[in-house]
Amino acid sequence: MKILLYNPDNGVTRNFMPHLWMFLLQELTPPGHEVILIDGNAKAMTDEEIVRYVLENRIDLVGIGAMTRMVAKAYRVASAIRAAGVRVVMGGPHVTECPDEAIGKDGGPRYADAVALGEADETWPLIVEDAARGELKEVYQPERDEKGVDRKPSLQPYPSIPWEKLDLNQFSLVPKIFRPLMSSLGAGWGTFHVVPMETGRGCPYGCEFCTVTGFFGDSIRFRTNESVVDELLRLKERARKQRGQIAVFFIDDNLAINIKRTKSLLRDIIAADAQLPWVAQISANLLKDEELVDLIAASGGQWVFIGMESIDPANMADVNKNFSKPSEYGAVLQRLAQRNVYAITSFIFGMDNDTVGVSDRTVKEINSWPPGLPVFGQLTPFPATPLYDRLAKAGRLARPKHWMDFAPFWMAHTPLKMTIPEARQETDHAWRMSYSPERNAEAINAISDAAFRYRLSHLVSRLFFRGIYFPQMNKRAWLKLIFQNRRPIISLTREAIGMWRSHRKNKAHESDEPAAVMNHQKAA
Ligand code: B12
Ligand code: SF4
């Protein structure tokens, strides 16, 4: 069979990274089938374009995965593909959380021929075999234990994703026209990929708004250190060969959930010289350990994503995230910054104790810490979370099926102490203050002692992160952005030219040296 795995874009922003599930399922597909990947984030396509692609390429089966945010588009595309006579299987968090919706068992229309619920590592090969025989079932679910809980894949062994030979062209972040020039720079920047990699699954914390504990379970499973190190080494080799850059996003929900194991993994990465620049999610409470932070820096850690959520402890208690203490955030960021590791700090507005002015209060606090990349969202009741159930029981859901008419940054319930439009305004204000050209320049100034590459990485990341909220998907938007931020850009460019000149001078001096030494010897 010819199989297409497709992940829709959200219609508003683009991700910087492809989705791991596609590469994983591609690798888990039984032999004898061809699997093509299209990630809407890298290659945005209209519904008609996808259907045309499916027909022209004689695809036999389409697998679509989606988060709640993209599910309306996923359903639309699925319906169009089915209408063209091709079978569709859907999987991922949303269909698992609303299992009846995709197959029309909730009274609504049917969008998919089959759904794969939960982790599909073991069910995907069965789905492919059934589809090949023309015997696709409606629902695929992992085996269950005596308590009725899904048996989770152990991750040992873990499939070896052949990164060294996969076609990653659609996922490079360097625009095509710059590639020849960029590949001649330094270690080579002809391509830049952020590659997703998992070292473990599961999180026991159970924050009220989060789907992870429900989906992956509270039992944590890890790959072996050897399998992670081997994957890193293969990626590093690929980067070297193609004169490009590869960074890794460890997508574990909390990379340091078992600190002893994390330290052992990071030590093994260092010992094998398998370091690549990496980003990972780690909760603030675990970053108090100085040795862990040392190992993060030494093993290539550059950015740590921290779900800070709120600076108000009452809000943290409300969402069952008391283990994370707002009073400790500044010290945590300081500890990271001392090692040139910076943080992506994520905040949620519209919690029940938030009042108007929350964005000013939060941004003031953020600006007193070492600079990072703050991101702001709103409390969203994802289906099957304790938050969703609490709000539904209290009759507080304004749009119980908010995913069917997805509206970016527009809450689906009214918080207790502010209105939905006020929550929208607070979010908007926080983004504007945090990514204004003035704030960008201030942030770079604040780390003026750091080496050039850290400041450059910080500025580039700021310009990209701004795009999570402000649409900047065309050349015009980028040119405007570059013009507005010209001060730090010009200053860093001057510094780079200075460094390049002195590097050339030193090189020339070095090549003169042997001659000078020989002349000196002759004279002697
Ligand atoms: C990495 C990540 C991101 C990346 C982007 C995704 C990417 N490029 O990988 C970034 C950081 C950009 C991101 C952003 C967001 N994310 Co996110 N993200 C994750 C994270 C941490 C890992 C995803 C992953 O690769 N998991 C590992 C793979 C193996 O698991 P999986 O994707 O579930 O796939 C398995 C099964 O689901 C199944 N499967 C999946 N798809 C399909 C398809 C088919 C056909 C089949 C058969 C099976 C199948 O098979 C896989 C193997 O078992 C997850 C949490 C998590 N642990 O999964 C959150 C998660 C997916 N994100 C979430 C959210 C809410 C968001 C945001 C909306 C946050 C925000 N407020 O802005 C944004 C939206 C991004 C957008 N494009 O609009 C939620 C989604 C909940 C939901 N019901 O939708 C999750 C679950 C986290 C949470 N706290 O609840 N995210
Ligand atoms: S710590 Fe993170 S992954 Fe774990 S439950 Fe809380 S928000 Fe979800």
Side-chain angles (χ1 to χ4, degrees):
M1 280 195 307
K2 235 177 158 181
I3 304 169
L4 170 67
L5 297 180
Y6 172 70
N7 199 100
D9 60 293
N10 67 26
V12 185
T13 54
R14 296 267 176 275
N15 276 337
F16 51 90
M17 179 176 76
H19 286 261
L20 180 62
W21 70 266
M22 298 192 192
F23 297 99
L24 207 52
L25 296 196
Q26 186 180 38
E27 195 46 34
L28 292 169
T29 304
H33 306 283
E34 185 187 348
V35 184
I36 300 163
L37 312 184
I38 297 184
D39 190 331
N41 288 296
K43 199 173 178 176
M45 288 165 96
T46 62
D47 306 0
E48 296 73 36
E49 282 168 340
I50 300 164
V51 173
R52 201 174 322 127
Y53 182 92
V54 166
L55 294 177
E56 282 172 3
N57 289 278
R58 298 175 183 281
I59 303 286
D60 302 293
L61 178 70
V62 179
I64 303 181
M67 297 185 204
T68 297
R69 182 172 165 150
M70 296 85 157
V71 85
K73 163 130 187 178
Y75 287 156
R76 243 184 22 240
V77 170
S79 301
I81 293 171
R82 288 183 78 230
V86 179
R87 291 162 302 169
V88 174
V89 184
M90 293 188 74
H94 185 84
V95 298
T96 303
E97 284 136 24
C98 301
D100 294 337
E101 193 175 80
I103 46 172
K105 288 260 163 84
D106 65 345
R110 181 173 188 151
Y111 307 105
D113 294 283
V115 285
L117 307 183
E119 295 178 54
D121 309 53
E122 279 151 21
T123 46
W124 175 246
L126 305 176
I127 296 173
V128 174
E129 300 292 15
D130 284 358
R133 281 197 310 272
E135 292 171 10
L136 201 54
K137 299 184 189 73
E138 246 180 14
V139 180
Y140 289 84
Q141 184 153 22
E143 276 179 29
R144 299 196 143 181
D145 64 17
E146 49 296 338
K147 289 188 200 130
V149 178
D150 283 4
R151 284 191 201 281
K152 311 278 181 196
S154 76
L155 308 189
Q156 293 191 19
Y158 187 82
S160 166
I161 301 177
W163 293 115
E164 59 280 12
K165 50 179 195 248
L166 285 178
D167 176 7
L168 295 178
N169 250 340
Q170 65 171 307
F171 304 115
S172 177
L173 295 175
V174 180
K176 265 194 193 127
I177 45 162
F178 295 131
R179 289 182 194 170
L181 172 73
M182 300 287 279
S183 60
S184 62
L185 289 185
W189 279 86
T191 52
F192 177 40
H193 294 110
V194 181
V195 167
M197 188 186 293
E198 58 183 342
T199 81
R201 286 186 198 164
C203 176
Y205 286 165
C207 303
E208 194 196 30
F209 52 81
C210 179
T211 66
V212 167
T213 308
F215 187 93
F216 289 101
D218 54 8
S219 75
I220 310 157
R221 294 144 287 147
F222 297 117
R223 290 169 64 180
T224 61
N225 289 0
E226 295 73 37
S227 123
V228 176
V229 168
D230 168 67
E231 197 167 334
L232 285 170
L233 286 172
R234 285 184 290 115
L235 281 166
K236 201 169 173 180
E237 180 57 13
R238 176 172 182 148
R240 195 188 61 77
K241 272 199 185 141
Q242 68 187 24
R243 291 195 58 71
Q245 300 290 324
I246 292 183
V248 167
F249 191 134
F250 288 120
I251 55 97
D252 306 37
D253 288 294
N254 205 335
L255 184 71
I257 191 72
N258 177 333
I259 291 201
K260 201 168 151 217
R261 174 264 172 186
T262 310
K263 287 183 180 172
S264 118
L265 172 65
L266 300 182
R267 282 195 199 103
D268 282 2
I269 292 174
I270 298 165
D273 194 22
Q275 292 102 323
L276 279 173
W278 60 258
V279 188
Q281 310 183 84
I282 303 178
S283 53
N285 56 320
L286 302 174
L287 290 164
K288 285 192 225 160
D289 188 312
E290 297 275 344
E291 189 190 22
L292 174 71
V293 182
D294 280 340
L295 287 167
I296 289 174
S299 60
Q302 309 248 310
W303 293 96
V304 177
F305 183 105
I306 307 177
M308 293 190 165
E309 327 304 5
S310 174
I311 55 165
D312 177 353
N315 276 333
M316 299 302 274
D318 267 359
V319 296
N320 197 29
K321 198 159 181 172
N322 250 339
F323 60 86
S324 187
K325 306 272 179 247
S327 57
E328 294 171 352
Y329 290 167
V332 163
L333 299 188
Q334 198 64 48
R335 197 169 297 122
L336 291 171
Q338 278 159 359
R339 279 104 171 155
N340 288 311
V341 180
Y342 296 95
I344 301 162
T345 51
S346 169
F347 293 90
I348 298 177
F349 292 147
M351 291 196 182
D352 276 346
N353 205 39
D354 277 348
T355 51
V356 169
V358 63
S359 57
D360 274 326
R361 291 191 292 277
T362 308
V363 172
K364 189 168 167 225
E365 183 88 4
I366 294 173
N367 290 353
S368 72
W369 301 331
L373 299 171
V375 292
F376 307 93
Q378 292 168 333
L379 192 60
T380 307
F382 287 108
T385 56
L387 173 68
Y388 191 96
D389 297 344
R390 172 166 71 87
L391 293 173
K393 269 192 204 119
R396 289 180 57 193
L397 291 174
R399 290 183 297 135
K401 280 204 163 204
H402 53 88
W403 49 93
M404 296 309 266
D405 59 344
F406 171 69
F409 299 104
W410 194 256
M411 289 181 68
H413 72 282
T414 306
L416 290 181
K417 298 184 179 172
M418 63 210 279
T419 62
I420 293 176
E422 281 166 348
R424 171 84 180 86
Q425 242 167 14
E426 294 293 329
T427 314
D428 187 84
H429 189 51
W431 276 101
R432 280 182 200 285
M433 285 192 290
S434 300
Y435 290 89
S436 66
E438 297 71 35
R439 178 59 201 153
N440 287 346
E442 253 171 46
I444 304 306
N445 262 342
I447 51 166
S448 55
D449 289 347
F452 173 79
R453 65 190 169 103
Y454 296 115
R455 282 173 290 136
L456 179 67
S457 147
H458 209 106
L459 180 62
V460 173
S461 307
R462 279 194 154 261
L463 300 184
F464 273 101
F465 264 64
R466 184 188 174 279
I468 297 174
Y469 182 77
F470 300 100
Q472 48 188 47
M473 299 217 273
N474 57 33
K475 259 191 217 147
R476 224 178 108 93
W478 272 97
L479 287 175
K480 188 172 163 204
L481 182 66
I482 289 170
F483 180 74
Q484 287 171 336
N485 287 278
R486 61 193 178 281
R487 255 194 326 133
I489 295 177
I490 292 173
S491 142
L492 284 175
T493 310
R494 278 206 189 114
E495 197 177 327
I497 294 172
M499 278 162 51
W500 177 71
R501 280 203 182 124
S502 72
H503 177 72
R504 264 195 6 168
K505 224 172 167 179
N506 285 346
K507 256 190 151 174
H509 185 66
E510 271 167 27
S511 58
D512 282 352
E513 253 172 18
V517 170
M518 274 167 62
N519 287 342
H520 179 74
Q521 281 170 347
K522 254 195 237 160

